[in-house]
Amino acid sequence: MSLRHHPKAYGSVAVAIAFIAGIFVTLGFKDFYPDLERRYQQNRRNNKRTRKPTTSDSDMRRRSSLFWGPVQLEDREKKLELQLPPSAGVVEGIEGCIGNTPLVEIKSLSDATGRTILAKVEFLNGAGNSPKDRVALNMIQVAEEDGLLSPGRGDTIYEGTVGSTGISLAALARAKGYKAHICMPNDQSLEKSDLLHHLGATVERVPVAPITSPDHFVNLARRRAQEHTDSNEDSSRGFFANQFESHSNWQAHFKTTGPEIFYQTSGHVDAFVAGAGTGGTIAGVAKYLKEEAKLANLKIVLADPQGSGLYNKVRHGVMYSSTEKEGTRRRQQVDTIVEGIGINRITENFEAGRDLISDAVKVTDEQACKMARWLVENDGIFAGSSSSVNCVAAVVTALSLPEGSQIVTVLCDSGTRHLSKFWKQVAKMGLEDEPKPESLTELLGIKQDS
């Protein structure tokens, strides 16, 4: 007798077939939709990195889209919920250690001002230990995409720098199959040029000269790169990184530093304070937070050392420093002990974010030295000169904002690169022997608004 004469048996077989088919459909779902599976797994990994799963999250993962309507592929690229890279585990190469730096509260500064002062610890970037790691990596990647650099061809990266960018480029150049040739002014700390040598870079320490001179360290690096490319010795090329004018600079901070700050603060930032050498950090972060993240009320504040003209450019629209007066200038570049920030011209990178800068704070060498010692005594932070300038400006900015405000600044590099110059000056001032001061505002000579 045929199966169709037994309705109950027929029904049981049908259910069994449907159940088995359901299993095969479920198991084979990722094979039928490989792009969906790839996106799902990527989002699943990212979610694990950025937040702890909730009960509702777990429940939703278990619910099949077969029971909840058609599959909806959501475009998450336009959202501001940053998916950070893993903070632990295996990464590929030294470039995998760049970015996702901690944002820490500097407790003594918060206590002294009644506002929360946070610092992005950029000296924990893993290649050259500064924010220039981000810039160097992005410049190399863009140059490779444009065919200006090719691994294994014998190419050399040329750059004019006061130190940090050159160190980052030298480290990454070796890692990615290139050579590095660094031109730097001879008034910079010896630690930087020594480190460059140990990283395998060719270093030219040249006399300080104005930017209009063909022997200015930046112009020299440009010329060396062109001479390399024009030579017919082999097929290798010279690439001039051009950190001051290349848009790859500010774009690196727009793509990484800005989003990280937004994520780490959950969008609660009342002011961002940073100095400017090339201007890439302040411009890139400002453009992300103000234009992309839409933090309309955010204040962008320039921290400027003595001798730099940017303070007056922001405040008064005129590029001028009192040290430019005839007979008063001691140095050709910027009349300050601070290295890495301060400049007397507008770069392409600074121009990219100049209209977004709300205010500027002038910081003296004396204030920077005193802040550096304060951070050691109170927070165990051994900061370099530009980091100290940023922290002074962050304090001044904090005192101009309502209580409860949150300010973010940058710890660019540690004091280990400033022993022979900046920290030697700290010692000369007797700051390491004096008793611990009780008031930060009195130490820095800052008048607090009543």
Side-chain angles (χ1 to χ4, degrees):
M1 186 176 294
S2 66
L3 186 63
R4 64 172 177 256
H5 294 129
H6 296 272
K8 291 183 179 180
Y10 180 82
S12 299
V13 171
V15 170
I17 292 174
F19 178 75
I20 294 172
I23 292 175
F24 279 108
V25 168
T26 302
L27 293 176
F29 194 76
K30 63 175 182 283
D31 297 324
F32 295 130
Y33 298 94
D35 185 60
L36 177 62
E37 169 65 12
R38 179 182 60 79
R39 293 193 184 193
Y40 166 75
Q41 293 295 348
Q42 182 64 42
N43 288 338
R44 184 181 180 188
R45 287 193 295 269
N46 288 339
N47 286 336
K48 286 182 178 180
R49 295 168 189 160
T50 56
R51 60 187 175 87
K52 295 180 180 180
T54 62
T55 303
S56 59
D57 291 332
S58 302
D59 290 342
M60 287 304 294
R61 290 194 194 103
R62 289 193 292 265
R63 294 172 182 172
S64 169
S65 60
L66 295 174
F67 298 97
W68 294 89
V71 176
Q72 299 293 328
L73 295 180
E74 184 178 0
D75 182 7
R76 294 183 177 269
E77 294 181 357
K78 295 182 180 179
K79 288 192 173 183
L80 292 176
E81 296 178 2
L82 176 69
Q83 304 299 320
L84 291 175
S87 57
V90 178
V91 296
E92 184 176 350
I94 194 66
E95 58 264 39
C97 301
I98 297 174
N100 196 25
T101 54
L103 185 68
V104 302
E105 180 180 359
I106 305 181
K107 192 69 166 54
S108 72
L109 303 188
S110 296
D111 291 344
T113 61
R115 288 80 172 163
T116 301
I117 295 182
L118 309 174
K120 199 88 164 85
V121 191
E122 286 295 280
F123 60 71
L124 292 181
N125 278 301
N129 309 122
S130 82
K132 298 301 184 181
D133 282 358
R134 302 173 186 266
V135 174
L137 180 60
N138 195 49
M139 288 194 296
I140 291 173
Q141 290 174 336
V142 171
E144 289 176 336
E145 292 169 3
D146 293 341
L148 300 176
L149 284 173
S150 181
R153 190 171 60 186
D155 293 350
T156 298
I157 301 170
Y158 293 82
E159 183 60 302
T161 171
V162 297
S164 293
T165 304
I167 292 167
S168 297
L169 283 170
L172 288 169
R174 287 297 182 181
K176 297 179 78 64
Y178 305 110
K179 299 176 183 178
H181 186 120
I182 305 301
C183 300
M184 64 187 303
N186 60 9
D187 64 346
Q188 300 301 294
S189 63
L190 291 174
E191 290 90 345
K192 293 180 180 179
S193 56
D194 288 346
L195 180 54
L196 284 165
H197 280 298
H198 290 307
L199 287 170
T202 299
V203 182
E204 283 190 74
R205 288 178 67 98
V206 300
V208 178
I211 188 64
T212 53
S213 168
D215 294 324
H216 183 276
F217 64 97
V218 172
N219 297 331
L220 180 62
R222 181 187 291 106
R223 188 164 72 249
R224 292 281 188 259
Q226 191 60 53
E227 290 169 352
H228 182 148
T229 301
D230 291 343
S231 69
N232 296 320
E233 295 180 1
D234 54 34
S235 61
S236 66
R237 301 185 61 172
F239 168 68
F240 175 49
N242 198 17
Q243 60 164 327
F244 287 90
E245 313 302 335
S246 171
H247 286 207
S248 297
N249 184 338
W250 71 260
Q251 288 169 355
H253 294 289
F254 180 87
K255 292 190 293 186
T256 63
T257 318
E260 287 174 22
I261 291 171
F262 179 82
Y263 175 84
Q264 290 167 319
T265 61
S266 299
H268 176 204
V269 190
D270 297 295
F272 174 72
V273 181
T278 64
T281 301
I282 193 168
V285 172
K287 286 180 74 67
Y288 181 85
L289 294 179
K290 296 280 284 186
E291 297 179 350
E292 190 75 9
K294 307 298 184 185
L295 301 182
N297 296 324
L298 173 70
K299 288 186 66 175
I300 304 295
V301 181
L302 171 73
D304 210 32
Q306 66 181 53
S308 173
L310 293 179
Y311 169 84
N312 282 321
K313 187 65 175 178
V314 171
R315 278 289 191 94
H316 310 297
V318 178
M319 177 67 77
Y320 175 74
S321 170
S322 60
T323 58
E324 297 295 298
K325 290 189 294 187
E326 186 176 355
T328 64
R329 190 169 190 170
R330 299 192 301 271
R331 296 176 65 233
Q332 282 286 350
Q333 189 183 359
V334 177
D335 198 9
T336 178
I337 195 173
V338 175
E339 296 181 359
I341 58 174
I343 195 170
N344 282 311
R345 70 180 192 275
I346 298 294
T347 66
E348 288 281 341
N349 282 281
F350 188 79
E351 185 63 33
R354 182 159 66 98
D355 291 342
L356 301 175
I357 298 176
S358 316
D359 201 358
V361 175
K362 177 71 74 178
V363 179
T364 66
D365 285 354
E366 182 180 2
Q367 287 176 316
C369 290
K370 288 181 176 180
M371 173 58 77
R373 192 60 203 164
W374 172 277
L375 292 173
V376 168
E377 289 290 342
N378 293 276
D379 302 278
I381 296 174
F382 188 46
S385 57
S386 56
S387 300
S388 299
V389 169
N390 285 346
C391 288
V392 173
V395 168
V396 174
T397 301
L399 294 175
S400 71
L401 295 173
E403 289 190 11
S405 297
Q406 188 153 275
I407 297 90
V408 174
T409 191
V410 181
L411 295 178
C412 308
D413 57 8
S414 76
T416 55
R417 291 184 186 169
H418 301 264
L419 296 175
S420 64
K421 188 177 177 182
F422 179 71
W423 274 95
K424 187 175 182 180
Q425 181 63 26
V426 173
K428 280 184 178 180
M429 293 174 63
L431 296 173
E432 296 178 329
D433 303 320
E434 293 180 354
K436 184 176 177 180
E438 295 182 1
S439 170
L440 176 61
T441 54
E442 289 182 9
L443 175 70
L444 299 177
I446 298 173
K447 294 181 180 180
Q448 186 169 356
D449 296 336
S450 56

